[in-house]
Each structure stands twice: as C-alpha cells, then as structure tokens.
Amino acid sequence: MAAPAAATATATDHYARLLQLCQTAFNPSAGRAIHAHAVKAGLLVSAYLCNNLLSYYASAGVSRGCFHEARRLFNDIPYARRNTFTWNSLLSMYAKSGRLADARVVFAEMPERDAVSWTVMVVGLNRAGRFWDAVKTFLDMVREGLAPSQFTLTNVLSSCAATEARGVGRKVHSFVIKLGLSSCVPVANSVLNMYGKCGDAETARAVFERMKVRSESSWNAMVSLYTHQGRMDLAVSMFENMEERSIVSWNAIIAGYNQNGLDDMALKFFSRMLSASSMEPDAFTVTSVLSACANLRMLKMGKQMHSYILRTGMPCSSQIMNALISTYAKSGSVETARRIMDQAVVADLNVISFTALLEGYVKLGDTKQAREIFDVMNNRDVIAWTAMIVGYQQNGQNDEAMELFRSMIKSGPEPNSHTLAAVLSACASLAYLDYGKQIHCRAIRSLQEQSVSVSNAIITVYARSGSVPLARRVFDQICWRKETVTWTSMIVALAQHGLGEQAVVLFEEMLRVGVKPDRVTYIGVFSACTHAGFIDKGKRYYEQMQNEHGIVPEMSHYACMVDLLARAGLLTEAHEFIQRMPVAPDTVVWGSLLAACRVRKNADLAELAAEKLLSIDPGNSGAYSALANVYSACGRWNDAARIWKLRKDKAVKKETGFSWTHVQSKVHVFGADDVLHPQRDAIYKKASEMWEEIKKAGFVPDLNSVLHDVDDELKEELLSRHSEKLAIAFGLISTPEKTTLRIMKNLRVCNDCHTAVKFISKVVDREIIVRDATRFHHFRDGYCSCKDYW
C-alpha cells in the first residue's frame, strides 16, 4: 500500500506545481483542465491540492466562472479538512475581486482567523475605497492581539491618508516603530505619505530625515506634500536635491506650479524637462501643461501640445480631452473647442471643460450657444450656473439671468458670493427692488453678505432702485474695513440721486480715514460736483486726483470736467478745456458741451459741437436731436426742420424713447402714445385726468419740448402722452395710495415731463422716483432732488 500512496503524493505535488505555474502565467483554461484531471484521478482527497486549487481560483477569481467553481470546490471539501489556508484562499478570492459582501460572510463563518485573514480584509476594503472600514478592521485586528505585517501596515496607512485620519495614522506609526519596520522603505514611504496627505508637513519632514534609505517615492512624496501646501520653494528644494528623477517627479513639480497659479513657472519646468532630461511627457504631464496654457491663454503652445498628442498617438483620456477643450475655449478658439467636445464622449467630459466652453461663448456675446452647452451639462456645479448667469447679465439679458437664478434656487446648487453679486447686478439694471431685498435676505442667511462683492452689489441694487436710505444703511453696517470699491459705490449712488453735498462729504471722510480713491471714485465725485453746482470744488478735486493720487486723467474724467463747466454756463471755458486736452475728444465730451448749449441757447457753439460729434460718429441720432433741440429752444423752427430732414436723408435712426415700471412682479413697458398695453383705455383716462389736474394747480406745458412745428393744441396732446407720464398713470391706477412709484426711462427726461412730474407728486401726494439715462429724480411735494439742475 506504500507504493500507491507515494504515487498519489507525487501526482498531487505535480498537479500543485502545475497550478502554481498557471497562477503565475494567469492561464484560466489550463487551470480548469488541471482541476478536471485531478477530479478524474481522484486526487481531490488531498487538502494540499484543494488548497492550491482554491489559491489558483483566488488569483483568477475575476475571470468568468471562477467564483462558481471555487465555491463548489470549497463546499466539496469536508469541513474537518478545511484549514485556515483553505478559508483564506476563498476569502482572498472574494476580497481581491471586490465582492466584499461575500468576503464578509466568509470572514464571519471562519472558525479561526489568523493575521493573513485580517490582512486580506484590510487590503480588500482599502482597494475598494472603503477606507474607514479598512481602518476599523485593522483596529479590530490589533485588539485580537495579532501582529500586522508590512503589507497590512501599508494598506491601512493608505486608508488613513485617504481619510486624513491623522490620529489613527499616528497609532499605526507607533506599530511600525514597535515592530521595527521603520527601516522598511515601502512602510516608511506609506508613513510619509500618510502625514503628507494629512497636511502634517513637520512630522512628514521628520520621518523623511530619519529614513536611512530613501527611494525615489520618498522624495516624490515630499515634493507633492509641499506643492499641495503651496510651498513651492520647499518643493523645488527637494526636487533639486534628488539624485534621480522619474516622470512622476517632473509631473509633481509641474502640476504643483500649475495648481498654485504659477503657470509661467510650470511651463518653464516643462521646457527644462524636455531639454535637460530624456523624459517623454505622459498623459499627466500633458494635462498639467495644457491647463497652464489655458490659464495663460497661450493658444500657440496649446496647439503644439495638441500636435504632440496626435503625433505620438497618445490615448485621448477624458483628462486630456477636458484640458484641450479648456485650452481652446479660454484662448478664444471656441469653435475648435466645440469640435473637440462633439468628438468626445459626453460622459467623459467634466464640468470644468464645459464651463470653459460656456465662458468662451459668453465672451463672444453668443449666449444662445452658451446656453446650449449649459443645458447638456451633467452635474452642473455652482461655477457653471454662475458663469451662465454672469453671461446673461454681462450681455444685457437681465431677465434671463433672473429666470436662470430662480431655476438654480429650485434645482441647482447653493449660490455662492459670485452668483449673488451677478444676480444683484441684474436686479440693479432692472431696478427690481423687491427681488433685491429677497436676495439680500438670502445673503444674510448664508453669511454671503460679508463678501465685499456682494455687499457692494447690494448697495448698488438699492441705489439703482431708488432707495438711497437702504443703500446707506448697508454701507454703514459694514463692520470690516471698507474697500475703495465700497466707498465708491456709495459716493456714485449719492451723486446719481442728486445728493451731491452728501457725496462730497462722504468723499472727504474717505480721504480722512486713509482709503485711497481710484479713477472711478473721482468720476463719482465729479458727477456730484456737477449736479450740485460745486464748480470750484470740482476743479480742486481734478488737480488733487493728479497731484496727490497720481491718477492720469482718462477720457471719462475729461468728459466730467466739460460737463461740470458747461452745465454751470461756463461754455467758453468748457470749450477752451476741450482744446487743451492732450487727447482727441470723444463723442461723450462733445455731447456734454452740446447738451449744455440747449439750456444756454447757444446755437453757434452747439453747431460746432454737433459737427465734431458727427465727424466721429455719423450715425449718432442724439447729435441731430440735441442740435434740433437748440434750434427749437431758440425759435429757429426752419433750422430745426432742416436738421430733422438731414437726419432722415442720411437714414439715421432715432433711438425710441420708452419707460417702464415694475408692478406685482411684472414689468410694464410704455412708449410715447402707447397703444399696446391691455389697460390702454384706463391708462389714457387717468393720464388725461392727471394732465387737467396739474394744469389747474398751475402747471404750464413747455411747448418748446415738442420738436415739431405744429399747433399748440397738438403739441400739448403730444406732451401729455410721453412715455413716463403714461407709466405714472398706470402706476397710479395699479398701486395703493401713498406708495412710492418707481419709473425707469431709457433716455434723458425732457423739461416738460420734469416739471409735470413735480406737479403730479404734489397733486397725488406720492413720491415718484424717475431714473433716466443719466441720473435719478426724486419728486415729492412739488420738488425734485436735482433742484432743477440736471
């Protein structure tokens, strides 16, 4: 009987060696064939051979069918002949294949568990991304009194790094020291990586310094740690001290510069890599370099990288596709970016590339294409929503911006400070006071009000909606140090509302507390001086701007000074100022002089200003209207008619005047002699009643405001139906008594309407706020905040 037993043992050993060879070569079909032969030969009575078969299936478990065969084999082994190795083989198969539910069942059923059993679970959980479970399993293993191996330690340290569990990581580090594994390079590198990922640079550096043997991975870990902390000086110091560098080392330093906003340096190191080493860029290198090109708008180099990708046949991963789209979109080649996107699998593209393409279309003013991109995006983040809202707002599509913001509130992410600032700007343009208040409340609840951009936008929305007290209250409540922009927002608001004296006082306070004004601040101050009639102060501030704050005057400052002098009746001085300007005057400068000529009835200077203005902008309808106004004011009807005919002959279109008001969450727009509003009859009836009432109160229509030579009765009828009067009439029949009416107008309010609204405010006992193209007029009790100086 000894001979057959020996033969069986020999055959078992032979089959076991064959299985080990199959396992090394990973040959599933051969392994199954050996299994079949072993069954036919009756060799499965050997626990040794069964364990080898299970071990083979554990390594090949990801192949189709192996799970079923391995489990059947395990079940066929009598319970008494199953040892720890048998159980561990089955456990390893499930754990390595990511079938953690099955692995847990096997782990729970095991009669005995050794260090290998626990390690298999720790490794499986770590590889499956179940980091906290891996850490907890490790702690349970230690409580069982089992010593972890270096393989256990590297995996649990990896889980600690992924979850930034520095406390547990320190305990694991103590095991490393206790077990004398500090000199084991893989374990030491895992400890180093754990401290690095947890942001503990000091301890990581101490571990690194104590390492007797350092691998390239040790150096790379320190470089990555410092780049993630933004300490590029220390990262470069480590990089330069490396004896050998791999592509991973170069990628770490290039990506570090890119991620820390130092894109120029990222490209310099990339150039150095190409010239001073034999390294070939890989996908990670290309992605970082393309990101730097995108941020720097370096289209030429981006194209070179694209050519390299095509020339080398580098697989276009989702990261590379996203980087290419961002590079082309941010560099202005939006159509190329769109073609790349169309060629890609949409699921592979991330929100960053979509947003870059969206912003590219926004910069071109093509919000339709931008919206198409936005609508096909999956998992839109707050940056994408904000980019689309900003796009609408910057392109004057404020209603669309508001509508998209409402959708964001219902189904999108929580708005950030940039979102709120953009939508508040849209509210300001539309003078949506109620919406502005709602967004202000949201900003308070989310603590976004503390953002400088949001607080400034809140001030602006209240100011442009006609509520200066609310704007000033927000300004005064800002507890942190007010920036230049904040002061400027309030100064401009006061100036636009005719509160020139308050604007100047605030400007002086700004200087007193040491906040330096900028070019925009001075534009607001000059406007305040202009409308308050502070001629001498305006001149003094003009000198102060240059001499004390070193601000070189720009065209907008020159225009303000011309307006300041001309409105004060100093037309000759204003003209002389224009002649002394070091740059050629633009249409705004000549337009300011021309507008003042009407008030002073200076037809000669008006003709000169109009001629200069039209030589710059022949299609400027305002120049024709202003000159015709001057002639009409001077009673030169024939000259006025000649200008109107000249404009008609040259096919210059006059900008249509219209007014609008916001009532019950809806915008109502009116043109002169409007016939489209559904409440037309009621509005005209109220306008007629209002006209008669103010005439009884002493109002005399300014017939000179009609630029046509028609009889006085028709002139009066035309004046009574100006768009702002119709908007006021609608407001009176649509809102409760005593409430404030807010009217917006796209052009400058005419003299007749200005006088008429003063009378209306007194007769109906209401405050009426009119925002025209240049300023705000607060009408109350028969007076206007501009003091008739506009």
Side-chain angles (χ1 to χ4, degrees):
M1 295 298 291
T8 299
T10 301
T12 299
D13 289 340
H14 175 65
Y15 280 113
R17 284 195 297 272
L18 289 175
L19 282 169
Q20 290 165 9
L21 288 172
C22 290
Q23 187 171 330
T24 304
F26 188 68
N27 191 332
S29 58
R32 290 194 184 97
I34 294 168
H35 186 179
H37 279 286
V39 171
K40 289 179 181 179
L43 298 176
L44 291 188
V45 293
S46 166
Y48 175 65
L49 182 58
C50 288
N51 286 341
N52 272 277
L53 269 170
L54 278 173
S55 178
Y56 159 76
Y57 282 128
S59 63
V62 293
S63 299
R64 187 175 298 174
C66 290
F67 295 115
H68 175 69
E69 292 171 8
R71 187 72 208 202
R72 186 171 59 187
L73 172 63
F74 178 84
N75 291 338
D76 288 342
I77 300 173
Y79 187 86
R81 286 165 52 194
R82 296 174 189 166
N83 57 24
T84 305
F85 184 91
T86 311
W87 285 93
N88 283 342
S89 296
L90 185 66
L91 179 68
S92 178
M93 179 187 72
Y94 286 131
K96 285 181 179 178
S97 303
R99 298 179 61 157
L100 294 178
D102 292 327
R104 283 184 180 278
V105 171
V106 173
F107 188 76
E109 291 176 349
M110 291 179 71
E112 292 183 10
R113 308 183 189 105
D114 60 8
V116 175
S117 313
W118 288 94
T119 299
V120 166
M121 288 302 297
V122 170
V123 172
L125 290 165
N126 177 58
R127 289 179 177 175
R130 303 274 293 275
F131 304 118
W132 274 115
D133 288 337
V135 171
K136 290 175 183 176
T137 302
F138 171 79
L139 295 176
D140 289 340
M141 174 185 178
V142 173
R143 278 191 286 268
E144 289 288 327
L146 296 170
S149 67
Q150 70 174 60
F151 198 46
T152 322
L153 293 169
T154 55
N155 276 272
V156 75
L157 284 166
S158 174
S159 290
C160 290
T163 54
E164 298 184 10
R166 185 172 59 175
V168 179
R170 285 184 181 277
K171 293 179 181 178
V172 179
H173 187 190
S174 68
F175 274 104
V176 171
I177 297 171
K178 187 185 299 182
L179 296 170
L181 293 172
S182 296
S183 59
C184 176
V185 175
V187 175
N189 284 341
S190 295
V191 172
L192 183 61
N193 181 64
M194 181 273 296
Y195 284 120
K197 292 290 179 63
C198 293
D200 189 347
E202 185 177 347
T203 307
R205 184 63 184 255
V207 171
F208 179 80
E209 295 293 348
R210 286 198 296 265
M211 290 176 70
K212 295 178 180 178
V213 179
R214 299 170 185 149
S215 68
E216 181 193 305
S217 296
S218 313
W219 289 91
N220 287 340
M222 290 304 298
V223 171
S224 295
L225 166 60
Y226 287 133
T227 59
H228 287 143
Q229 290 194 325
R231 294 298 308 273
M232 292 307 300
D233 54 339
L234 297 178
V236 171
S237 176
M238 281 285 175
F239 180 82
E240 298 295 359
N241 285 322
M242 292 178 71
E243 292 182 3
E244 293 184 5
R245 305 184 187 104
S246 67
I247 190 64
V248 176
S249 314
W250 287 98
N251 285 345
I253 204 74
I254 292 169
Y257 274 121
N258 168 235
Q259 292 163 3
N260 284 285
L262 301 168
D263 298 296
D264 283 321
M265 290 301 298
L267 296 182
K268 285 181 180 179
F269 264 83
F270 174 64
S271 177
R272 177 180 161 188
M273 183 188 95
L274 296 179
S275 61
S277 75
S278 59
M279 300 294 170
E280 288 290 329
D282 64 7
F284 295 102
T285 325
V286 169
T287 302
S288 295
V289 172
L290 282 171
S291 176
C293 291
N295 294 335
L296 295 171
R297 277 54 171 175
M298 292 183 65
L299 181 59
K300 184 178 179 181
M301 189 167 183
K303 287 182 175 180
Q304 291 173 353
M305 294 306 300
H306 194 180
S307 298
Y308 174 81
I309 294 167
L310 298 174
R311 188 173 66 254
T312 59
M314 181 180 290
C316 281
S317 64
S318 58
Q319 290 84 359
I320 289 178
M321 295 295 281
N322 284 308
L324 281 171
I325 292 170
S326 294
T327 299
Y328 281 112
K330 289 184 177 181
S331 302
S333 291
V334 181
E335 292 307 315
T336 304
R338 182 62 183 267
R339 285 197 297 272
I340 295 172
M341 191 195 80
D342 291 340
Q343 294 167 4
V345 178
V346 173
D348 289 340
L349 302 181
N350 63 21
V351 69
I352 297 175
S353 59
F354 273 106
T355 304
L357 188 54
L358 185 157
E359 290 176 335
Y361 279 118
V362 165
K363 286 180 181 178
L364 295 176
D366 191 347
T367 53
K368 182 179 179 181
Q369 290 280 4
R371 185 57 188 262
E372 287 181 7
I373 297 297
F374 178 82
D375 288 338
V376 300
M377 290 173 68
N378 293 321
N379 303 317
R380 294 182 290 242
D381 63 5
V382 65
I383 298 174
W385 282 89
T386 302
M388 193 66 242
I389 291 170
V390 169
Y392 278 136
Q393 186 263 322
Q394 289 179 344
N395 285 279
Q397 296 172 272
N398 295 297
D399 285 317
E400 288 83 351
M402 294 296 301
E403 188 61 36
L404 186 60
F405 179 71
R406 294 187 193 102
S407 298
M408 182 180 184
I409 297 301
K410 292 178 182 177
S411 59
E414 189 68 21
N416 62 19
S417 60
H418 300 289
T419 322
L420 295 182
V423 78
L424 282 166
S425 294
C427 285
S429 297
L430 296 168
Y432 281 2
L433 180 59
D434 291 339
Y435 285 141
K437 287 180 178 179
Q438 292 173 19
I439 298 169
H440 185 185
C441 290
R442 173 174 286 274
I444 293 173
R445 290 196 302 270
S446 62
L447 303 180
Q448 303 283 6
E449 188 191 26
Q450 297 178 14
S451 162
V452 174
S453 60
V454 172
S455 60
N456 291 339
I458 291 170
I459 292 171
T460 301
V461 77
Y462 283 140
R464 298 197 67 184
S465 299
S467 186
V468 179
L470 285 176
R472 186 59 188 261
R473 187 184 306 167
V474 173
F475 176 83
D476 291 338
Q477 287 175 347
I478 297 176
C479 300
W480 60 94
R481 181 176 173 82
K482 301 181 180 77
E483 296 186 354
T484 299
V485 177
T486 312
W487 289 88
T488 300
S489 297
M490 197 65 237
I491 290 168
V492 170
L494 293 170
Q496 287 181 331
H497 286 269
L499 303 172
E501 292 183 12
Q502 293 184 34
V504 170
V505 169
L506 190 62
F507 175 66
E508 293 289 351
E509 182 183 348
M510 175 184 180
L511 297 178
R512 183 178 56 78
V513 298
V515 179
K516 186 177 180 179
D518 61 15
R519 51 174 295 278
V520 182
T521 316
Y522 273 104
I523 291 173
V525 172
F526 293 150
S527 176
C529 291
T530 296
H531 295 289
F534 296 160
I535 312 303
D536 292 336
K537 281 187 178 180
K539 291 179 179 180
R540 178 163 57 84
Y541 290 143
Y542 181 72
E543 297 299 324
Q544 179 193 75
M545 177 184 76
Q546 301 171 76
N547 299 332
E548 295 184 23
H549 295 114
I551 299 174
V552 179
E554 299 176 6
M555 193 63 72
S556 52
H557 300 112
Y558 294 132
C560 286
M561 290 305 295
V562 171
D563 199 27
L564 173 77
L565 297 170
R567 284 177 182 270
L570 305 174
L571 296 180
T572 302
E573 189 175 344
H575 186 214
E576 291 173 351
F577 181 91
I578 293 174
Q579 291 176 319
R580 292 195 306 271
M581 284 172 53
V583 293
D586 65 1
T587 56
V588 178
V589 173
W590 289 115
S592 297
L593 183 62
L594 180 56
C597 288
R598 179 188 184 282
V599 178
R600 303 298 171 179
K601 298 183 180 180
N602 189 327
D604 293 337
L605 194 54
E607 288 171 349
L608 172 64
E611 179 185 353
K612 296 290 187 181
L613 197 160
L614 289 171
S615 67
I616 302 170
D617 182 11
N620 191 312
S621 64
Y624 291 97
S625 299
L627 184 56
N629 282 343
V630 175
Y631 286 141
S632 298
C634 296
R636 295 168 57 176
W637 296 107
N638 290 336
D639 287 329
R642 175 175 56 81
I643 295 300
W644 289 123
K645 183 177 184 305
L646 181 63
R647 190 194 72 181
K648 182 178 180 180
D649 292 343
K650 290 183 176 293
V652 176
K653 292 184 178 180
K654 179 181 181 295
E655 183 179 1
T656 303
F658 59 89
S659 301
W660 68 95
T661 188
H662 190 237
V663 176
Q664 295 180 348
S665 302
K666 186 177 180 181
V667 177
H668 299 263
V669 183
F670 302 89
D673 203 18
D674 197 290
V675 296
L676 299 177
H677 199 280
Q679 293 177 260
R680 177 184 181 279
D681 293 340
I683 293 169
Y684 270 63
K685 181 180 178 182
K686 186 63 178 179
S688 179
E689 293 173 355
M690 188 173 66
W691 187 255
E692 294 303 321
E693 285 182 31
I694 61 175
K695 284 173 66 178
K696 290 177 183 177
F699 167 68
V700 178
D702 181 7
L703 302 183
N704 289 331
S705 294
V706 179
L707 305 179
H708 304 285
D709 190 13
V710 294
D711 61 68
D712 291 352
E713 185 177 349
L714 182 55
K715 286 182 180 181
E716 190 171 321
E717 183 179 349
L718 292 172
L719 289 172
S720 70
R721 294 180 178 179
H722 276 192
S723 64
E724 51 267 64
K725 295 188 180 85
L726 296 179
I728 291 171
F730 171 74
L732 291 174
I733 65 174
S734 305
T735 59
E737 293 184 3
K738 305 293 184 180
T739 56
T740 300
L741 297 182
R742 288 180 169 83
I743 311 297
M744 279 63 68
K745 184 176 175 65
N746 67 321
L747 302 178
R748 186 173 178 272
V749 66
C750 73
N751 288 339
D752 181 78
C753 285
H754 191 269
T755 305
V757 180
K758 287 198 296 182
F759 275 89
I760 294 170
S761 69
K762 186 174 183 178
V763 169
V764 301
D765 191 21
R766 293 223 203 180
E767 181 181 13
I768 302 173
I769 302 173
V770 177
R771 188 184 88 187
D772 69 7
T774 59
R775 63 180 295 107
F776 283 83
H777 302 267
H778 292 253
F779 298 95
R780 183 190 290 275
D781 297 327
Y783 296 94
C784 179
S785 59
C786 74
K787 301 180 179 64
D788 299 337
Y789 192 85
W790 85 102

